Amino acid sequence: MSRYYVTTSIPYVNGKPHIGHALELVQVDVLARHRRQRGDEVRAQTGTDDNALKNVHSAEAEGIGPAEYVARVAERFAGLGKALELEFDDFVRTSSDPRHAPGVVKLWEACAEDFYRRSYTGLYCVGCEVFYRPDELVDGRCPEHGTVPEEVTEDNWFFRLSRYQDRLERLVEDDVVRVEPLSRKREVLSFLRSGLEDFSVSRSTDRARGWGVPVPGDPGQVVYVWFDALANYLTGPGYGTDDAGFRHWWADCPERVHVIGKGIIRFHAVYWLAMLLSAGIALPTTIFVHEYLTAGGRKISKSEGNADDPAEVVDGHGSDAVRWWLLSEVARAGDTDFTAERLVARANEDLANNLGNLVNRTVSMIAKFGPAEGDDPGATALREARADAADTIDRALAGFDFRRAVEAVTRIGDEANRYVQATKPWVLAKQGSPELPRVLGELLATCRDVAEHLTPFLPSAAARIAAQCDGAPIRPVFPRLIEAEDVRT
């Protein structure tokens, strides 16, 4: 048995969740469930980034205090756990979790030799919570949000990021910290080789409206949101509050995995690693960078006004369909356009027509023609698909290839449905053939395998399949979805 610690990034709570947030949550949930299924000791963590300036601005726009505002919005993010059938071990809210502020203070003090104070004027994007150099802008606008950064002059604490440039390059180049996929590793190396500049790690208390973790020994400053937020990966396991828990889940844990979106790669694969080097803390072992979901070719975001609430999408289509689309349709490289029509089509094709049809046919025929006894050595292609599935899923998820992992399950369904058409159990039943019990036995074993392999991806559906294999009342495991326009016609 191994030990595995996997995290999502933590989103700002300056607005309700959108379907893009669901992608990362489901990916991490699958990784965690898969490793638990394989017998490993697993910790999966998520949470919310409460202490950002943008959250303060959103609270002011509503005329309420930031504490009230972030508590309300964070609750919507926490609610995704039930909607999406997530099984996380921890949820860290950076503004209110009693473990977090002590850990941030400890991390600050551990990095003290790399801090210095200076005045700075720069172009600041509140959306990214970062200063940009003019040459990093696109036509004078933030490359991530398309907004014009504001010019800000501040006197803050800075971190000597430039000191770690050579070490960071070697660590990423040699895969001491594995950045996946390869295109993102190359992006990080390009950023490192372009030269690193020291970055601000505090904000004035006045500008932050007093919101955030105070800088130790300097009450006029609060800890900059990224230095604060990144620390959640340590504070959740106990850094600063629980030494044994921190050693178990970070310092001595053989796999420490971050799953993040491509827009925050520099903070995780550069800033975060440098902070940990400065503090003398073990580095993450792997950073997987996923692409964006888009709508009409545009990034899904609150500011774009194209952000479907995942809880509402689940209400309309069910958690199985949403989880399956995120796993089977979203590309490992390149953005993926989300539409309800694509979600329905994928659910109907893979779940209702393939896996659901297989299970319904099998249990119905067993109820009508049974018993299901023995197996059929002649089911060569079907047996091969079943035998290959576990290893294919293991290798695919080790490489964060969720599409290839779920394809191993649908391949079993494809082969099993072909097997049904080839053997025609209803004909065997009419003929009184002694082959019938073995054919039904082969199909029943196949459905049990489907339930087992499907468990990390669609946990409730897998349990329903297993129950029907054990004699539960027969009903469609995956009812066919109908879009509103289909109902009108």
Side-chain angles (χ1 to χ4, degrees):
M1 182 176 74
S2 185
R3 206 177 313 152
Y4 184 76
Y5 175 35
V6 60
T7 74
T8 70
S9 61
I10 54 173
Y12 299 122
V13 287
N14 63 315
K16 67 180 184 179
H18 59 69
I19 193 68
H21 295 121
L23 171 63
E24 192 170 300
L25 289 164
V26 170
Q27 287 178 334
V28 170
D29 183 63
V30 167
L31 294 171
R33 287 179 183 273
H34 170 69
R35 294 297 291 264
R36 290 191 191 101
Q37 188 182 43
R38 294 299 188 259
D40 291 336
E41 186 182 5
V42 175
R43 174 185 173 83
Q45 180 177 302
T46 188
T48 53
D49 183 354
D50 297 356
N51 294 331
L53 184 59
K54 62 165 66 177
N55 298 340
V56 175
H57 289 175
S58 294
E60 290 177 341
E62 292 202 15
I64 59 177
E68 179 184 353
Y69 177 83
V70 300
R72 187 184 73 206
V73 180
E75 188 60 34
R76 298 189 70 163
F77 281 87
L80 293 179
K82 181 177 181 181
L84 294 168
E85 297 188 52
L86 307 174
E87 192 176 65
F88 281 83
D89 301 288
D90 207 348
F91 189 101
V92 176
R93 281 195 53 208
T94 59
S95 67
S96 60
D97 194 301
R99 298 166 295 179
H100 189 66
V104 172
V105 170
K106 182 174 181 177
L107 182 62
W108 182 279
E109 292 172 342
C111 295
E113 291 187 2
D114 282 316
F115 294 148
Y116 62 95
R117 186 80 179 255
R118 75 176 175 94
S119 296
Y120 180 80
T121 298
L123 300 171
Y124 192 77
C125 173
V126 175
C128 294
E129 297 282 7
V130 67
F131 282 103
Y132 280 107
R133 300 190 309 266
D135 63 353
E136 293 180 301
L137 302 178
V138 178
D139 297 326
R141 296 178 177 272
C142 167
E144 183 71 13
H145 295 91
T147 54
V148 178
E150 60 179 305
E151 186 173 272
V152 174
T153 299
E154 291 186 319
D155 186 85
N156 298 327
W157 290 96
F158 274 70
F159 176 81
R160 290 186 175 89
L161 181 64
S162 55
R163 173 179 288 179
Y164 295 94
Q165 179 167 334
D166 292 342
R167 290 179 65 186
L168 291 173
E169 185 176 336
R170 289 195 300 272
L171 289 166
V172 174
E173 177 67 49
D174 297 340
D175 289 329
V176 175
V177 178
R178 173 183 161 215
V179 179
E180 289 284 349
L182 180 59
S183 60
R184 296 302 167 191
K185 174 182 175 178
R186 290 171 177 156
E187 179 184 340
V188 172
L189 289 172
S190 177
F191 182 79
L192 288 166
R193 290 163 183 165
S194 69
L196 296 182
E197 296 182 357
D198 298 348
F199 70 97
S200 172
V201 288
S202 72
R203 294 288 176 267
S204 71
T205 302
D206 288 343
R207 185 165 176 241
R209 315 293 197 270
W211 184 246
V213 178
V215 169
D218 190 350
Q221 298 273 304
V222 296
V223 177
Y224 169 49
V225 59
W226 279 105
F227 195 98
D228 172 317
L230 291 164
N232 91 93
Y233 304 131
L234 307 181
T235 62
Y239 182 74
T241 57
D242 178 2
D243 289 344
F246 173 68
R247 285 196 304 273
H248 187 80
W249 284 115
W250 188 273
D252 297 336
C253 186
E255 292 184 81
R256 303 175 292 274
V257 179
H258 297 320
V259 176
I260 65 166
K262 64 182 180 179
I264 53 176
I265 189 170
R266 77 161 71 175
F267 305 104
H268 285 78
V270 179
Y271 292 15
W272 178 228
L273 303 188
M275 290 159 54
L276 293 170
L277 289 173
S278 175
I281 297 173
L283 304 175
T285 57
T286 307
I287 301 172
F288 169 63
V289 186
H290 63 76
E291 303 289 327
Y292 285 150
L293 295 186
T294 56
R298 295 183 300 143
K299 176 191 172 186
I300 291 177
S301 69
K302 296 179 284 291
S303 60
E304 289 282 358
N306 60 358
D308 289 307
D309 187 323
E312 294 175 2
V313 179
V314 169
D315 284 344
H317 301 95
S319 62
D320 290 334
V322 174
R323 285 177 66 104
W324 190 257
W325 186 87
L326 293 169
L327 297 166
S328 63
E329 283 280 308
V330 176
R332 189 170 182 269
D335 297 339
T336 303
D337 219 48
F338 170 79
T339 67
E341 292 77 14
R342 289 186 67 182
L343 182 148
V344 168
R346 178 54 59 192
N348 284 340
E349 180 178 344
D350 289 352
L351 302 183
N353 297 347
N354 184 347
L355 300 177
N357 183 47
L358 167 65
V359 174
N360 187 257
R361 295 168 97 181
T362 298
V363 297
S364 296
M365 288 190 295
I366 290 172
K368 186 175 182 179
F369 305 136
E373 297 175 342
D375 50 44
D376 178 11
T380 306
L382 175 55
R383 290 186 154 213
E384 180 183 315
R386 289 165 54 191
D388 291 347
D391 185 58
T392 298
I393 292 169
D394 285 348
R395 286 185 284 106
L397 293 183
F400 306 97
D401 192 340
F402 298 92
R403 294 171 83 176
R404 188 159 64 93
V406 298
E407 283 170 1
V409 187
T410 55
R411 181 188 169 207
I412 295 175
D414 290 337
E415 293 296 344
N417 282 306
R418 280 193 282 269
Y419 176 73
V420 171
Q421 291 305 116
T423 57
K424 295 181 173 56
W426 54 91
V427 173
L428 297 177
K430 284 184 179 180
Q431 297 172 342
S433 172
E435 296 297 315
L436 178 62
R438 288 193 290 273
V439 169
L440 295 179
E442 192 72 38
L443 288 172
L444 182 61
T446 298
C447 289
R448 293 189 193 280
D449 280 357
V450 167
E452 175 73 11
H453 295 312
L454 204 58
T455 295
F457 310 113
L458 303 180
S460 292
R464 295 195 301 271
I465 293 171
Q468 291 201 26
C469 289
D470 289 336
I474 299 172
R475 55 177 57 94
V477 177
F478 299 111
R480 186 173 175 80
L481 301 184
I482 303 175
E483 273 296 287
E485 55 267 27
D486 296 330
V487 175
R488 289 195 298 270
T489 58

